[in-house]
Amino acid sequence: MPVTRLADLIDPAQCPCLVIKVGSSLLVGPQGLRRDWIAGLVDEIAVYRARGQNIIIVSSGAIALGAARLGLDKGGRGSLADAQAAASVGQIALSGLWAELLERHGHTAAQLLLTLDDLEDRRRYLNATATLGRLRDAGAVPVINENDSVATHEIRFGDNDRLAARVAQAVQASAVLLLSDVDGLFDRDPADPAAKLVREVRGISAEIKAMASGSSGSGLGSGGMTSKLQAAEIAEMAGVALAIVNGNHDTPIARALVSDTGTLFLPTEGRRRRDAARKAWLGGRMKLKGDLVIDAGAARALQSGSSLLAAGIAAVNGAFNRGDPVGIVNADGGVLAHGLSEYDSGECALLMGRQSADHEALLGYAPRSAVVHRNQLVLK
Ligand code: GLU
């Protein structure tokens, strides 16, 4: 069952995987890290984990915290160099706190610092998703931020709202929860007494966009409502629900979701078909760079939802790199699937027809679990 109400975001049956983005203004106050509030949030997250939800945290706050520690003005956002230096200082303290608080509940934190390219470039996308998948299987809780200390203007996500939506798209999460310092999207400037909270949005129209003012309420983060709507658009394209709620309370998640206070962006019916969204991204406008010809056994395995293993490959056509989209075809040339290849064409040729146990010796390095992972392929 897909997410249809705010409360569904903490229901493991409706939302097995939830990405929670925490804004800078909630994490960092005038005295530095808001330890008690973060501890309360982690207590909540531990409850959801125990109920069986897979939770991925996207944490802002590095620049704001580092700027406070270094005494930089404008919250560390006065120049790119300031922001990068502030992020380096803030990130280490931020991750340390997440790790410490999660550890209290017996959870191991895993830090990932990503740049835009890590999720846009298909080769690096495979790396990031493989890491996130392995962390999920190993039971660790990912804590993600943008890699602000090396990211430059051109490659920055610019804000963690969009980063969270991209992560959700990459791991096929069920929903994204943006914990912010506002209750959600208002139909006009929230300072206007006539402003009303928009509780549900299906499809982001020009009218909805016009409601966003674009300024960050706190001045601490870089987001604001405009970036939240951009995140909602990314989520919508990927068939993922996204909610904006106010985190300025104790047990912020339960309070907002149970009292139904926030804005929930729901993908339109067409988008709910995850496969359609994934197909669009996987295939995109990119031309297939080659083909993997597979045997009948591998074809049956694909139909039943398995990954493509090297043992089932009979021939490799074309020259392609790791991460390139390839066709998966039967002996007659009929296209069975499209997917992203975990290996380049030379390596595929080396591995084809061979059992996984032989791969390390053939490659000279630790092999991947499949040639095309089931999460990275779309049946035709
Ligand atoms: N990545 C930034 C930080 O850690 C925050 C970006 C944002 O405000 O969304 O400070």
Side-chain angles (χ1 to χ4, degrees):
M1 280 286 289
V3 167
T4 55
R5 304 170 307 145
L6 277 178
D8 291 343
L9 267 68
I10 45 171
D11 179 339
Q14 325 275 357
C15 185
C17 176
L18 176 66
V19 176
I20 301 175
K21 181 260 174 176
V22 195
S24 298
S25 63
L26 296 173
L27 293 163
V28 183
Q31 319 305 332
L33 280 169
R34 296 177 67 212
R35 247 190 109 88
D36 292 345
W37 182 86
I38 303 170
L41 176 66
V42 172
D43 291 346
E44 272 202 287
I45 289 174
V47 170
Y48 306 139
R49 286 265 315 182
R51 286 196 217 150
Q53 267 188 303
N54 176 25
I55 307 261
I56 296 176
I57 299 167
V58 175
S59 171
S60 297
I63 296 174
L65 179 63
R69 293 208 175 172
L70 292 173
L72 303 176
D73 58 5
K74 297 187 181 150
R77 293 176 190 271
S79 70
L80 183 59
D82 276 6
Q84 293 184 318
S88 321
V89 169
Q91 185 62 41
I92 197 164
L94 195 61
S95 315
L97 183 62
W98 282 112
E100 177 197 322
L101 295 175
L102 285 162
E103 186 62 46
R104 282 194 199 163
H105 294 277
H107 294 306
T108 301
Q111 177 182 257
L112 267 87
L113 299 179
L114 300 175
T115 61
L116 181 63
D117 262 7
D118 292 323
L119 294 172
E120 299 275 301
D121 171 274
R122 282 171 169 74
R123 182 180 58 82
R124 286 159 65 177
Y125 161 85
L126 287 181
N127 296 340
T129 49
T131 305
L132 284 165
R134 190 68 192 93
L135 287 170
R136 180 200 52 223
D137 295 346
V141 181
V143 181
I144 301 178
N145 196 358
E146 184 170 11
N147 194 356
D148 292 304
S149 45
V150 297
T152 64
H153 275 313
E154 301 80 59
I155 61 165
R156 291 197 70 216
F157 281 97
D159 65 80
N160 281 356
D161 300 322
R162 276 177 288 170
L163 175 62
R166 286 257 183 254
V167 166
Q169 176 188 34
V171 301
Q172 293 164 45
S174 329
V176 182
L177 178 62
L178 302 179
L179 281 181
S180 170
D181 52 5
V182 291
D183 282 346
L185 174 70
F186 284 85
D187 62 352
R188 67 198 76 183
D189 184 345
D192 183 333
K196 284 204 174 56
L197 181 65
V198 180
R199 293 183 183 269
E200 192 176 301
V201 177
R202 282 181 195 261
I204 296 145
S205 61
E207 190 198 349
I208 294 289
K209 284 187 190 163
M211 294 176 187
S213 70
S215 58
S216 163
S218 62
L220 275 180
S222 63
M225 200 45 76
T226 301
S227 78
K228 291 186 175 38
L229 287 192
Q230 287 168 342
E233 275 187 302
I234 295 168
E236 137 92 351
M237 294 288 289
V240 173
L242 179 141
I244 305 171
V245 305
N246 196 332
N248 257 324
H249 306 275
D250 295 336
T251 59
I253 299 178
R255 189 193 159 278
L257 301 190
V258 174
S259 70
D260 200 27
T261 311
T263 303
L264 179 61
F265 295 84
L266 291 170
T268 47
E269 282 311 312
R271 302 281 196 206
R272 282 201 187 285
R273 294 177 48 238
R274 290 279 174 72
D275 225 33
R278 211 151 50 89
K279 194 186 263 179
W281 191 85
L282 284 176
R285 283 171 296 280
M286 296 203 31
K287 277 186 41 206
L288 298 180
K289 298 287 169 62
D291 286 329
L292 299 170
V293 184
I294 64 170
D295 63 24
R300 277 194 300 276
L302 286 195
Q303 297 299 336
S304 62
S306 301
S307 299
L308 175 62
L309 303 181
I313 300 176
V316 179
N317 297 326
F320 50 86
N321 292 314
R322 168 169 158 74
D324 280 345
V326 292
I328 300 173
V329 302
N330 62 22
D332 304 328
V335 180
L336 305 171
H338 287 174
L340 303 184
S341 177
E342 296 281 349
Y343 292 107
D344 68 31
S345 44
E347 290 164 327
C348 288
L350 195 66
L351 299 181
M352 68 181 190
R354 307 293 294 259
Q355 298 300 324
S356 301
D358 302 335
H359 291 186
E360 179 147 15
L362 289 164
L363 292 165
Y365 60 83
R368 311 266 165 192
S369 61
V371 175
V372 180
H373 191 276
R374 63 190 149 84
N375 287 347
Q376 317 302 351
L377 68 78
V378 179
L379 296 174
K380 292 273 118 188

